Amino acid sequence: MSYDLAALAPRDVMRAAVLTRFGGPEKLEYREDVPAPVLCNSEALVRVFSAGVNLIDAKTRSGKGVSAAITQLPWILGGEFAGVVVQPPYEFAPFQAGDEVVGMLFNPRFQGAYAEYVTAPILSLAKKPKNLSMEVAGAVPLAALTAWNAIVEAGSVRHGMRILIHAGAGGVGHFAIQFAKVFGAHVVATASARNREFCEELGADQVIDYTATRFEDALEEPVDLVVDLIGNVQDATGSRSIQCLADGGTFLSVPTGSFPTMHEEIQAAGRELHASHLKCSPDGRALQAIMRLIEQGDVVPHLERSFPLKDAAEAHRHIESGRTRGKIALTID
């Protein structure tokens, strides 16, 4: 698609949903007079069309998680986006004006993507697949990279490996199931009864309804890898998962601070087990590999719902309900 780059050129101010104070969703305010970002170093200036909304955004907004990195308010949240490059960092940069891109940001270290424009290092960008709409693409990078890190990098997935993925129908979980299946793993996912069919369509070999049965009792065999997207904050999910691991197995804890006693409990198990917390980085090369899988049809992102930028507070209420299937996004016309 070709774009009128003159029409997309930035002004001195832009539209954005800004965090005015830490607290509830109502602390997110839509404004049209926010200073536009300034391009520097190896960054590209991108006109944002869609920005993903994640639980970490809501956690940060509430004053928890990584909110300590925000040293001044108002602030712009949002760690992932899709859009069009309007200004490259230099003439022969790999991404040029008019290119459709997706990317992940170091938010809240730097201002985020709930805005009309972002500046992003070119190393954190990837080309958007032609078969992926802007609306859906904006909600892919952060969740997909987190799942990639868990399954492919930290999890060292291999053919025939048995993997247990908690919250399989969620943003990260629905990517994790698909990545695991691409590499030939046997996948067990936990989900509610209403999401059983959804997880099966993603490729899960077994779906355990955590509301009806204890997942540790329903497992047919021990697993080699647990990807815990819940933690001990809910029904001791992390602690119960450790007993599901085969000797030599690996436990990965994703939500920040959700399982503070993980290493002590792994050691107390008295077996050869491995454990790690997981952090996601905006790796453009990994993101490009993910985009290729999407373009080939091997991985399909699921967008449950999108909200206009002015309704960012409502988007946060929705994701905090705990019932989101796949991802949600903010769109900027």
Side-chain angles (χ1 to χ4, degrees):
M1 174 183 264
S2 60
Y3 293 89
D4 182 350
L5 294 176
L8 296 180
R11 305 175 302 280
D12 292 336
V13 296
M14 65 177 181
R15 295 170 287 167
V18 300
L19 176 64
T20 56
R21 293 178 62 187
F22 294 115
E26 72 281 357
K27 304 304 181 185
L28 285 171
E29 295 183 8
Y30 174 73
R31 296 180 179 177
E32 297 185 348
D33 59 353
V34 179
V38 177
L39 191 68
C40 66
N41 298 327
S42 63
E43 297 172 334
L45 180 65
V46 179
R47 167 57 159 86
V48 177
F49 283 85
S50 175
V53 178
N54 296 280
L55 277 172
I56 186 61
D57 300 342
K59 199 171 184 179
T60 303
R61 184 216 70 228
S62 71
K64 300 175 183 178
V66 291
S67 61
I70 298 177
T71 57
Q72 62 180 20
L73 294 172
W75 194 260
I76 304 173
L77 298 174
E80 59 184 354
F81 63 91
V84 174
V85 174
V86 293
Q87 187 177 344
Y90 54 91
E91 289 83 351
F92 294 154
F95 300 100
Q96 290 294 310
D99 286 348
E100 296 183 325
V101 296
V102 296
M104 179 181 162
L105 300 169
F106 278 117
N107 184 261
R109 185 68 71 188
F110 301 103
Q111 298 274 13
Y114 292 6
E116 199 171 1
Y117 295 93
V118 295
T119 55
I122 56 175
L123 290 177
S124 67
L125 299 178
K127 289 192 175 182
K128 182 187 77 66
K130 290 182 173 60
N131 62 340
L132 197 61
S133 71
M134 281 285 188
E135 182 183 29
V136 177
V140 171
L142 192 151
L145 282 169
T146 301
W148 183 270
N149 193 1
I151 298 297
V152 180
E153 296 174 353
S156 300
V157 64
R158 62 187 182 276
H159 184 81
M161 189 178 196
R162 292 182 58 83
I163 303 177
L164 171 61
I165 300 170
H166 290 304
V172 176
H174 92 289
F175 282 116
I177 291 174
Q178 294 182 81
F179 293 154
K181 293 307 297 181
V182 165
F183 287 92
H186 179 95
V187 176
V188 181
T190 61
S192 63
R194 78 180 187 94
N195 286 319
R196 173 184 294 277
E197 186 174 343
F198 176 63
C199 289
E200 290 173 343
E201 290 173 352
L202 295 172
D205 299 283
Q206 181 184 3
V207 182
I208 301 173
D209 177 4
Y210 66 89
T211 67
T213 186
R214 307 292 276 181
F215 61 80
E216 61 268 38
D217 297 333
L219 273 176
E220 299 165 357
E221 297 179 39
V223 297
D224 304 297
L225 173 67
V226 172
V227 178
D228 183 7
L229 302 170
I230 298 174
N232 266 18
V233 293
Q234 183 174 320
D235 199 17
T237 298
S239 297
R240 292 161 52 209
S241 297
I242 291 174
Q243 60 186 281
C244 299
L245 285 167
D247 289 345
T250 300
F251 180 92
L252 297 176
S253 178
V254 178
T256 303
S258 64
F259 192 6
T261 61
M262 176 185 68
H263 287 297
E264 290 86 343
E265 294 190 30
I266 285 285
Q267 187 173 9
R271 297 188 290 133
E272 184 191 351
L273 300 175
H274 312 280
S276 176
H277 294 99
L278 199 71
K279 304 295 180 184
C280 179
S281 62
D283 182 348
R285 288 174 298 181
L287 187 55
Q288 195 63 68
I290 293 168
M291 293 301 112
R292 283 195 293 270
L293 291 175
I294 292 173
E295 194 160 38
Q296 293 164 190
D298 296 320
V299 171
V300 180
H302 178 79
L303 183 70
E304 180 182 273
R305 185 176 174 186
S306 61
F307 298 78
L309 181 63
K310 63 183 179 62
D311 291 339
E314 186 59 32
H316 272 227
R317 291 187 185 95
H318 184 77
I319 201 164
E320 286 183 301
S321 71
R323 295 178 59 82
T324 302
R325 177 185 290 177
K327 295 297 301 291
I328 64 172
L330 298 175
T331 56
I332 305 169
D333 61 354

